[in-house]
Amino acid sequence: MKIRIEVDDAISDEEVIIRCREISSTIQTLQQTLIQSLQKVKLVFYKNNVEYYLPVSSIYFFETAQTTIDAHTKDDVYKIKYKLYELEDLLPRSFVRISKSTIINVDFVYSIDKNLTSSGCVRFFHTHKQVFVSRNYYKALKNRLDERRTYHE
C-alpha cells in the first residue's frame, strides 16, 4: 500500500481520498480509523459528586451496574450518564461489545480464557479486573482482536 500526501495551497477544504481495487477489511479499518480520529469523543465521568474529564483511551471497559453504567480504568471506577447502546455509537473502534452488559477496549486485552460453552473470561494488562464475553459476542471480539493485530503488524 502506498501513502501519498499532496500539498495544494489552493484547496479550501481538506479531503482524504482512498483509492483501491476493492474494499478490503484493511481499507475499512483505515476508513474507520480516520473517521474516529476526526471525531474526538469527550465524555464526562462522575465519582462522589465530582466530574472527571478522562481520555476515553484510558477506559478498560464499561459495564452495567444495576441502574448505572460504570467505566473502569486500571485502578478506578467512575459512573457515566449514557446507556451502553449510546456508547457503542460514540466510542472509537477500539471498543467492542462483548455481552449485553459490557463494552471493552481491545487495546487493553491481555488474554481470553475460553471455556466449553464458547464464552470466555477476558483479562486486561496491568490489572486484576476481568469480564466475561458471552458466546453471542465472542466471534465479534475475536475479529476485532485479529483486526487490531493485523493493523499493528
Side-chain angles (χ1 to χ4, degrees), residues 2 6 16 32 36 49 69 72 79 109-110 122 135:
K2 296 186 229 175
E6 297 175 1
V16 175
Q32 288 299 318
Q36 291 171 357
N49 297 323
I69 303 296
H72 292 258
K79 300 288 182 201
V109 172
Y110 175 70
V122 177
R135 68 175 184 258

Side-chain angles (χ1 to χ4, degrees), residues 129-147:
K129 296 180 181 185
Q130 60 188 32
V131 292
F132 292 93
V133 56
S134 74
R135 68 175 184 258
N136 295 333
Y137 292 90
Y138 185 82
K139 187 174 181 179
L141 172 59
K142 288 291 290 177
N143 288 343
R144 191 67 58 87
L145 287 167
D146 289 344
E147 209 177 85

Side-chain angles (χ1 to χ4, degrees), residues 46 63-71 78-87 101:
Y46 301 89
E63 73 178 343
T64 56
Q66 296 176 12
T67 59
T68 62
I69 303 296
D70 288 345
Y78 301 87
K79 300 288 182 201
I80 190 158
K81 294 182 179 178
Y82 285 92
K83 305 282 186 213
L84 280 182
Y85 70 86
E86 294 170 326
L87 288 171
S101 61

Side-chain angles (χ1 to χ4, degrees), residues 45 54-61 72-74 78 95 105 108:
F45 301 89
L54 307 170
V56 172
S57 60
S58 69
I59 304 301
Y60 279 52
F61 61 94
H72 292 258
T73 62
K74 177 183 171 188
Y78 301 87
F95 287 85
N105 186 341
F108 292 114

